[in-house]
């Protein structure tokens, strides 16, 4: 069974929501992730056959990027 810390590390954020938190356009965020300038998640290259690239923003990395410290609730 996954612990709370493990859950928070893998929590995903929509690209549009992450861009709003950062204060940029979603397309700009995607470009920065694609070029590797911003480490806020994972970028998956498109595969052949017209499939689109995938962008995954993770809450823990986004918070770190923004300088936000979130503490786990006490049990």
């Amino acid at each position: 069974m996954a612990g709370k810390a493990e859950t928070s590390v893998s929590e995903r954020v929509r690209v549009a929501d992450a861009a709003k938190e950062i204060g940029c356009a979603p397309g700009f965020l995607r470009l920065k992730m694609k070029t590797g300038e911003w480490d806020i998640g994972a970028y998956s290259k498109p595969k052949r056959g017209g499939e689109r690239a995938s962008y995954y923003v993770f809450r823990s990395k986004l918070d770190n990027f923004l300088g936000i410290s979130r503490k786990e609730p006490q049990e």
Side-chain angles (χ1 to χ4, degrees), residues 4-75:
K4 287 185 180 183
E6 189 176 319
T7 302
S8 67
V9 170
S10 64
E11 183 181 346
R12 288 182 24 197
V13 180
R14 290 180 40 225
V15 169
D17 294 336
K20 185 179 278 188
E21 286 187 47
I22 293 170
C24 68
F28 184 74
L29 183 146
R30 288 185 188 97
L31 175 66
K32 291 294 192 177
M33 287 184 70
K34 181 178 179 181
T35 61
E37 293 180 60
W38 290 358
D39 181 20
I40 57 173
Y43 164 73
S44 178
K45 293 180 182 180
K47 298 184 180 14
R48 59 188 168 132
E51 187 176 311
R52 295 164 65 175
S54 297
Y55 299 85
Y56 303 100
V57 178
F58 301 117
R59 170 54 56 199
S60 59
K61 286 191 169 203
L62 179 60
D63 286 350
N64 187 45
F65 179 81
L66 294 171
I68 298 172
S69 175
R70 295 184 196 256
K71 295 187 179 189
E72 293 295 321
Q74 297 295 321
E75 293 185 28

